[in-house]
Each structure stands twice: as structure tokens, then as C-alpha cells.
């Protein structure tokens, strides 16, 4: 059997720096094909090269999310598309680096011209697997555990036996709110899974939260944005009614749409409740990538610069962990945020299925995206 190569890449624990690494690398093969969309007048924001690159990598992410979500309509989805995109672009290093030294590795020769830039840019090395699925799964698990310091659950999935190149993107995010929640206000409250089923989950509350808000009457949802530390922020899309069908919102997600929303939201004061959550997600994104017409990644990749042997990309996997608790930087909202005066109090209760989008505030790069149908993570 053909020896195995395993490429591993880890997303930064706080997301922000991973954005930097993508922003500074050449445009990756993961960027979606140009679809010849009508040339509308371009927002100056997207003329800045870093923002433009972030937008195209993010649009790849929104597409990947949609594909994953439609494959599992009744389950939570949690993705760090940036980590998948970065892992894919790590492969493209095999295509643009030159010199031809070979390193001696037990099973497969991996060219050091590939390894060195990979290590430099992504802090990772390709690993050689043994071909024994059990040993290999353990090796991958050990690596993930070491990288993520135990924050992501060990995988029990079976390793396919016919892998040639497996690409694994791992990312973990622990949200730090700019304004922390008071743990004494956290209590068990109802979360409506759908029209019939309700579960009790720990909900954090802030009776006087300052957030950016908007009502989208086309999408029938209430949108709210909360700032996180490290110049990131999270945008929630909460349907007005309890439904697991979030297709309409999902269909509209693009970098440009989110950018426009970001501009239109108004700062207000609201009664806010958010489920306290800790979620892990693992899945193969191979099929999704193929469905996204990135088939060529698997069919004819030029790996000749990675190794002299004939290898093929056979599998792309993703593991992600996400957590938010009451923790945050401070107790009062940042100065300068003057809420619009409302004549009636506004409620924002994330007590039914919702979508969240976590972005880098400066570039708009999509760091995490999630569909939360059940905050208990089942
Ligand atoms: C979900 O909603 C979309 C748009 O509103 C609709 O076209 C679709 O049929 C719905 N899907 C299901 C499974 O109900």
C-alpha cells in the first residue's frame, strides 16, 4: 500500500493571529473560482488587498458552511473555514517552492523544500503515518491533544485505510467578551429546539447589554453583534420564529452581505440572554469540497514538489472546538458606545436555533461560523 502523508495545521487559539497568517500569504488555491459575477461598483473596503483576500477566503468559508449545513440539516455545524483554507493553501506551497533537497523519512520521501516553508509559514510539519489505522488515529489524536491542550475531544472515528494525503485543519476558539457577564445572573432557562421540543440549558444574561442591532425583515431575523477581545466580533442571526430551517439566512451569507450588515447595525441597549456553550465538532469536509467543485484538488494535484512518489489528496478533515462563558475583559461597555435611545425595552434572547458568524473586525475575515440547533452539543 502507498505510504501516507499527513499534513496538520492548527488554527490559533484566539483566531486573530491565524487571520494574519492568511492575510500575509499568497492567494491560495482555496480561493473560490471567479464566477464572473456582475461587476458592481466595488466598495472601497474591498479594494484594500488584505480585505479583498479576506473576503475571498471568507466566501469560500460561507460556501463550505452552506454545503456542510445542507448535508446535516438536523445537527449543529461548527467550522473554522480559515483553518480549512489555510490547510489547503499549505498544500499549494508544494506548488510554488523550488529547491530539491530530499529528507530521508522512513516510509516516504518528503522534500525538505516543501517542509521548510510549511514549517515557517504554518508552524507545522507533514507527518508520515504507518498505514495501521489504529496507530494512526492515535497519533493524530495525540497531536491534536498536544496542540489543543486537551480542549478538543479525542476522535473515535475510523481512519480510512486508503489514505494517500490527509489534510487536517484544527481550530479552537474561546470567546472573551469585551463586556463580561455576571455569573450570578446565569440560570437554567428554556431553549426551544423546535416548535415542540424544549430543553433547559444554562443561559447567561445581561439586563443592560450594549449591542449593535438590526431587524432584517427580508430574512425574518433579528441580528445582533457583540464585540470580543482581540479585535474580533460575533454576529448572531436569530429567526423571529422557532425553526430549524435556517436556509434563507444561510443562502444570503457572503462577505459583502455581512460587511453591509455590519455598517447598518445600530448601537442599542437590550436585555440579552445567551446560552453558555462548549462545543466540539469533527467531520470530513472532503465531500463538501468536491460538491463545491473543488474536485481538481483531489483529481490532479501536483504533489511532485512534496514527494517524488505518486500521491493524491484523498481526505480533508476538520476539527473545531468553540467555547463561550461569562468571561470577558471588563464589566462596563467601552466608552464611546452611545446607545440609541429606545422608547421601549428590547429583548434579545438566543433561546432558539440561531447562526453565528465570528469575524476579524479589521479585515472582515471569517474565523468561525456555527449553526446552533442544540446548545447542549448533541
Ligand atoms: C426551508 O426554507 C426554505 C426557504 O424558506 C424552503 O425553500 C425550504 O423548502 C425549507 N426546507 C424545509 C426542509 O422545510
Amino acid at each position: 500500500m502507498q505510504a501516507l502523508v499527513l499534513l496538520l495545521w492548527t488554527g490559533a487559539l484566539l483566531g486573530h493571529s491565524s487571520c494574519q497568517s492568511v492575510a500575509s500569504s499568497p492567494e491560495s488555491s482555496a480561493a473560490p473560482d471567479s464566477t464572473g459575477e456582475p461587476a458592481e461598483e466595488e466598495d472601497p473596503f474591498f479594494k484594500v488587498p488584505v480585505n479583498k483576500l479576506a473576503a475571498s477566503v471568507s466566501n469560500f468559508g460561507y460556501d463550505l458552511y452552506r454545503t456542510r449545513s445542507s448535508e446535516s440539516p438536523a445537527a449543529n455545524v461548527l467550522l473554522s473555514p480559515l483553518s480549512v483554507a489555510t490547510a489547503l493553501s499549505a498544500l499549494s506551497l508544494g506548488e510554488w517552492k523550488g529547491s530539491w533537497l530530499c529528507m530521508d523519512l522512513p516510509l516516504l520521501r518528503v522534500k525538505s523544500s516543501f517542509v521548510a516553508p510549511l514549517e515557517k509559514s504554518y508552524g507545522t510539519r507533514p507527518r508520515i503515518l504507518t498505514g495501521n489505522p489504529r496507530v494512526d488515529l492515535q497519533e493524530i489524536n495525540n497531536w491534536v491533544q498536544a496542540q489543543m491542550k486537551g480542549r478538543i475531544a479525542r476522535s473515535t472515528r475510523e481512519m480510512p485505510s486508503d489514505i494517500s494525503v490527509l489534510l487536517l485543519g484544527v481550530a479552537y476558539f474561546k470567546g472573551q467578551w469585551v463586556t463580561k457577564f455576571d455569573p450570578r445572573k446565569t440560570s437554567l432557562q428554556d431553549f426551544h429546539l423546535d416548535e415542540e421540543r424544549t430543553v433547559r440549558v444554562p443561559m447567561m444574561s445581561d439586563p443592560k447589554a450594549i449591542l449593535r442591532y438590526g431587524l432584517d425583515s427580508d430574512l425574518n431575523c433579528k441580528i445582533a453583534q457583540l464585540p470580543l477581545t482581540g479585535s474580533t466580533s460575533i454576529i448572531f442571526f436569530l429567526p423571529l420564529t422557532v425553526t430549524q430551517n435556517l436556509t434563507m439566512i444561510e443562502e444570503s451569507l457572503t462577505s459583502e452581505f455581512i460587511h453591509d450588515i455590519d455598517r447598518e447595525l445600530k448601537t442599542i441597549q437590550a436585555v440579552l440572554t445567551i446560552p453558555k456553550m462548549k462545543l466540539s465538532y469533527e467531520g470530513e469536509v472532503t465531500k463538501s469540497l468536491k460538491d463545491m467543485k473543488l474536485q481538481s484538488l483531489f483529481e490532479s494535484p501536483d504533489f511532485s514538489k512534496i514527494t517524488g512518489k505518486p500521491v493524491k489528496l484523498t481526505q480533508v478533515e476538520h476539527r473545531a472546538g468553540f467555547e463561550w462563558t461569562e468571561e470577558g475583559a471588563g464589566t462596563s461597555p467601552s466608552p464611546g458606545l452611545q446607545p440609541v435611545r429606545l422608547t421601549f425595552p428590547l429583548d434579545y434572547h438566543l433561546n432558539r436555533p440561531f447562526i453565528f458568524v465570528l469575524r476579524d473586525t479589521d479585515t472582515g475575515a471569517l474565523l468561525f461560523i456555527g449553526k446552533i440547533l442544540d446548545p447542549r452539543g448533541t
Side-chain angles (χ1 to χ4, degrees), residues 136-208:
D136 291 341
L137 179 63
Q138 186 161 18
E139 153 102 15
I140 296 176
N141 269 331
N142 288 346
W143 183 85
V144 172
Q145 294 296 309
Q147 296 295 312
M148 296 291 143
K149 305 196 168 53
R151 292 180 183 96
I152 293 187
R154 298 184 84 82
S155 173
T156 51
R157 280 152 45 90
E158 297 240 319
M159 288 277 294
S161 56
D162 54 352
I163 292 179
S164 188
V165 174
L166 179 144
L167 202 58
L168 174 65
V170 186
Y172 184 84
F173 187 89
K174 175 156 187 198
Q176 285 272 341
W177 310 106
V178 166
T179 308
K180 64 184 166 202
F181 287 84
D182 180 351
R184 288 167 304 185
K185 295 200 170 80
T186 300
S187 63
L188 281 180
Q189 292 183 35
D190 287 347
F191 187 95
H192 305 280
L193 300 176
D194 54 31
E195 280 150 354
E196 281 113 45
R197 296 173 303 148
T198 298
V199 291
R200 304 276 283 172
V201 298
M203 288 270 201
M204 313 183 289
S205 330
D206 185 346
K208 289 187 174 174

Side-chain angles (χ1 to χ4, degrees), residues 34-346:
S34 142
T35 50
E37 275 165 17
E40 283 175 31
E41 201 182 320
E42 203 184 11
D43 189 316
F45 177 84
F46 294 113
K47 288 199 174 124
V48 179
V50 164
N51 299 349
K52 191 173 175 162
L53 176 59
S56 89
V57 175
S58 305
N59 276 332
F60 157 78
Y62 293 118
D63 284 344
L64 179 62
Y65 164 80
R66 264 187 287 279
T67 312
R68 281 304 298 170
S69 179
S70 66
E71 283 164 9
S72 55
N76 290 340
V77 174
L78 184 64
L79 284 180
S80 169
L82 202 57
S83 120
V84 178
T86 313
L88 289 170
S89 77
L91 270 191
S92 74
L93 277 170
E95 286 162 23
W96 36 264
K97 289 289 167 180
S99 70
W100 291 101
L101 294 165
C102 279
M103 271 197 338
D104 240 332
L105 289 164
L107 284 170
L108 188 72
R109 282 169 176 271
V110 175
K111 290 177 174 161
S112 67
S113 60
F114 173 68
V115 177
L118 190 67
E119 254 191 309
K120 190 155 163 272
S121 310
Y122 298 98
T124 188
R125 294 177 67 87
R127 305 292 179 95
I128 311 297
L129 297 182
T130 64
N132 174 331
R134 230 166 31 111
V135 175
D136 291 341
L137 179 63
Q138 186 161 18
E139 153 102 15
I140 296 176
N141 269 331
N142 288 346
W143 183 85
V144 172
Q145 294 296 309
Q147 296 295 312
M148 296 291 143
K149 305 196 168 53
R151 292 180 183 96
I152 293 187
R154 298 184 84 82
S155 173
T156 51
R157 280 152 45 90
E158 297 240 319
M159 288 277 294
S161 56
D162 54 352
I163 292 179
S164 188
V165 174
L166 179 144
L167 202 58
L168 174 65
V170 186
Y172 184 84
F173 187 89
K174 175 156 187 198
Q176 285 272 341
W177 310 106
V178 166
T179 308
K180 64 184 166 202
F181 287 84
D182 180 351
R184 288 167 304 185
K185 295 200 170 80
T186 300
S187 63
L188 281 180
Q189 292 183 35
D190 287 347
F191 187 95
H192 305 280
L193 300 176
D194 54 31
E195 280 150 354
E196 281 113 45
R197 296 173 303 148
T198 298
V199 291
R200 304 276 283 172
V201 298
M203 288 270 201
M204 313 183 289
S205 330
D206 185 346
K208 289 187 174 174
I210 303 291
L211 45 84
R212 299 184 65 234
Y213 173 85
L215 176 71
D216 190 317
S217 47
D218 292 336
L219 298 180
N220 257 328
C221 71
K222 299 200 280 185
I223 303 171
Q225 183 186 49
L226 280 181
L228 294 158
T229 58
S231 50
T232 56
S233 67
I234 192 159
I235 300 181
F236 297 104
F237 294 84
L238 179 70
L240 295 175
T241 54
V242 177
T243 174
Q244 293 211 338
N245 184 350
L246 306 173
T247 314
M248 219 156 56
I249 299 168
E250 290 172 337
E251 289 300 325
S252 65
L253 297 176
T254 62
S255 303
E256 296 73 16
F257 174 72
I258 301 278
H259 178 71
D260 288 345
I261 284 196
D262 188 15
R263 298 204 152 164
E264 284 167 23
L265 299 178
K266 300 276 183 290
T267 302
I268 59 149
Q269 183 175 308
V271 182
L272 173 70
T273 55
I274 298 189
K276 193 168 159 170
M277 289 201 306
K278 180 171 175 151
L279 296 178
S280 266
Y281 180 84
E282 71 172 301
E284 217 203 305
V285 289
T286 318
K287 182 175 176 298
S288 310
L289 292 171
K290 288 181 176 169
D291 289 348
M292 288 165 67
K293 310 213 173 6
L294 291 170
Q295 189 77 16
S296 60
L297 282 171
F298 302 91
E299 275 166 1
S300 53
D302 178 11
F303 290 148
S304 61
K305 292 181 183 139
I306 297 179
T307 165
K309 294 203 176 179
V311 291
K312 256 174 83 173
L313 176 62
T314 39
Q315 184 129 344
V316 183
E317 291 204 12
H318 185 55
R319 292 194 202 170
F322 192 96
E323 178 177 7
W324 65 56
T325 63
E326 293 89 350
E327 280 172 44
T331 47
S332 57
S334 35
L337 275 181
Q338 270 309 321
V340 174
R341 287 208 175 276
L342 296 173
T343 49
F344 55 92
L346 202 124

